[in-house]
């Protein structure tokens, strides 16, 4: 079983190992190994991509807490491809003393996004989402002396902590109702799961409360209305290449988590949740596009454009289970 987990999680382990090596070089080289740190990060992404391709063709079987399938493979390759581009774009950004920490945080955040796609357990999903967010709090302020960057980092951190608390509270309701943290594949292949609880207790008040809290916690990750208010300030305060990371990793992880929660319900999604997501999607599209017209700063325009696109993607998540049910 241990070897099976190592094989299944090999891309994430390689990426995390490369991040730790980059961090160690950054601490002990005194900023004199910038090229070596970049080479370590690039090699980690390349090795992780090779491991992801190897895992795509292997049968890992049913493992407790994770699922290695087409979605995981797709997410891994997309995350690694964008990560390679980010390394090239961000090469000039950090100072010599910050280069190890900067590239290490990028790799850890990418590993968290990849782990989100594999997570089939509420606890692991929550840990993966935090693994995506925590490094980005640091990236927003790294290498920046602008007071706006520090303000953006602090604001992003505290609001992110609030959203994580809301998400964890929502997951606790789902756990209490299902009696397990397994999302779709019961541990060991038998027993209860959150997916089963959604079918059996589709109208239960505690299920609705858990889903509402979870949706609002994840709405922060994807910058959906009404938890979008931080995005423009954080985008404006962060360095331009970091805004690319802000618009990719947290949103990828957030939408993966939303797809898991809404997808396992299928046609048994409570009506109030359906209309809540509908309202969030409509409000996010309208607010993002309208407020973008009022901006004069390019970064703030990008932020509101990102918010509007989150609304478009929420529509896809809303109709996805219904299309799968009818097909």
């Amino acid at each position: 079983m241990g070897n099976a987990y190592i094989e299944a999680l090999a891309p994430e382990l390689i990426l995390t190992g490369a991040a730790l090596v980059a961090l160690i070089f950054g601490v002990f080289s005194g900023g004199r190994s910038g090229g070596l740190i970049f080479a370590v990060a690039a090699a980690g992404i390349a090795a992780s991509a090779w491991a992801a391709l190897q895992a795509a063709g292997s049968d890992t079987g049913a493992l407790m807490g994770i699922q290695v399938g087409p979605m995981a493979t797709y997410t891994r390759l997309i995350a690694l491809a964008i990560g390679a581009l980010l390394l090239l774009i961000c090469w000039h950004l950090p100072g010599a003393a910050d280069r190890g920490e900067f590239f290490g945080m990028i790799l850890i955040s990418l590993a968290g996004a990849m782990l989100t796609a594999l997570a089939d357990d509420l606890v692991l999903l929550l840990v993966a989402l935090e693994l995506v967010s925590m490094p980005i709090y640091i990236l927003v302020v790294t290498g920046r002396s602008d007071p706006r960057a520090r303000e953006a980092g602090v604001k992003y951190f505290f609001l992110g902590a609030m959203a994580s608390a809301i998400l964890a509270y929502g997951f606790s309701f789902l756990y209490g109702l299902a009696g397990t943290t397994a999302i779709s594949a019961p541990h060991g292949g038998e027993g209860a799961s959150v997916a089963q609880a959604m079918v059996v207790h589709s109208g239960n008040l505690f299920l609705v409360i858990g889903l509402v809290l979870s949706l609002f916690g994840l709405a922060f990750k994807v910058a959906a209305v009404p938890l979008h208010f931080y995005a423009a300030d954080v985008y404006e305060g962060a360095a331009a290449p970091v805004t690319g990371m802000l618009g990719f990793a947290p949103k990828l992880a957030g939408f993966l988590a939303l797809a898991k929660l809404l997808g396992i319900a299928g046609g048994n999604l409570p009506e109030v949740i359906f209309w809540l997501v509908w309202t969030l999607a409509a409000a996010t599209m309208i607010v993002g596009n309208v407020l973008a017209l009022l901006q004069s700063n390019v970064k703030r325009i990008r932020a509101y454009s990102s918010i509007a696109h989150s609304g478009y993607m929420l529509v896809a998540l809303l109709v996805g289970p219904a299309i799968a049910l009818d097909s």
Side-chain angles (χ1 to χ4, degrees):
M1 180 65 74
N3 290 335
Y5 271 106
I6 292 176
E7 292 177 5
L9 297 173
E12 290 75 21
L13 293 175
I14 291 173
L15 210 58
T16 304
L20 294 177
V21 173
L23 288 170
I24 292 172
F25 281 173
V27 170
F28 291 103
S29 67
R32 295 184 299 273
S33 302
L36 180 59
I37 292 171
F38 180 83
V40 168
I45 288 180
S48 182
W50 177 82
L53 291 173
Q54 294 297 113
S58 62
D59 182 14
T60 57
L63 296 175
M64 184 175 68
I66 64 172
Q67 279 189 345
V68 182
M71 177 59 75
T73 301
Y74 174 80
T75 302
R76 282 168 162 172
L77 296 179
I78 289 295
L80 291 169
I82 299 298
L85 290 176
L86 286 170
L87 285 184
L88 295 174
I89 294 172
C90 296
W91 163 251
H92 70 284
L93 182 61
D98 299 326
R99 198 170 296 273
E101 290 81 356
F102 190 88
F103 289 131
M105 292 299 104
I106 290 179
L107 295 184
I108 291 174
S109 186
L110 291 174
M114 293 160 58
L115 188 60
T116 304
L118 275 71
D120 195 48
D121 184 275
L122 293 177
V123 175
L124 182 60
L125 182 59
L126 183 63
V127 171
L129 289 168
E130 291 308 297
L131 195 60
V132 175
S133 300
M134 289 294 182
I136 296 182
Y137 301 151
I138 300 172
L139 289 175
V140 170
V141 299
T142 299
R144 298 277 284 174
S145 57
D146 190 339
R148 289 178 299 176
R150 298 176 184 177
E151 178 187 350
V154 171
K155 183 181 296 185
Y156 193 27
F157 172 75
F158 283 110
L159 292 175
M162 178 196 70
S164 298
I166 294 173
L167 180 61
Y169 192 37
F171 281 1
S172 71
F173 278 92
L174 299 180
Y175 166 71
L177 191 66
T180 179
T181 57
I183 296 176
S184 62
H187 295 171
E190 300 178 357
S193 68
V194 175
Q196 290 178 345
M198 287 189 180
V199 174
V200 176
H201 307 286
S202 59
N204 190 286
L205 176 61
F206 292 108
L207 174 63
V208 173
I209 293 174
L211 287 174
V212 168
L213 291 172
S214 300
L215 286 174
F216 273 95
L218 293 172
F220 177 88
K221 303 293 184 183
V222 301
V225 173
L227 295 173
H228 69 290
F229 46 83
Y230 72 93
D233 291 339
V234 175
Y235 273 61
E236 184 179 12
V242 175
T243 60
M245 191 73 179
L246 282 167
F248 171 67
K251 288 184 180 291
L252 174 64
F255 276 110
L256 285 170
L258 283 169
K260 289 177 183 291
L261 289 181
L262 298 178
I264 59 175
N268 299 290
L269 198 66
E271 186 176 1
V272 64
I273 299 300
F274 174 88
W275 287 111
L276 175 61
V277 178
W278 189 97
T279 304
L280 289 177
T284 302
M285 289 186 287
I286 294 171
V287 170
N289 285 305
V290 170
L291 292 185
L293 296 174
L294 305 177
Q295 307 303 316
S296 58
N297 183 285
V298 174
K299 289 184 181 179
R300 296 183 73 88
I301 294 174
R302 288 177 60 185
Y304 285 111
S305 174
S306 176
I307 291 169
H309 280 78
S310 292
Y312 307 148
M313 296 179 73
L314 283 173
V315 173
L317 288 180
L318 188 64
V319 302
I323 293 175
L325 191 66
D326 295 337
S327 61

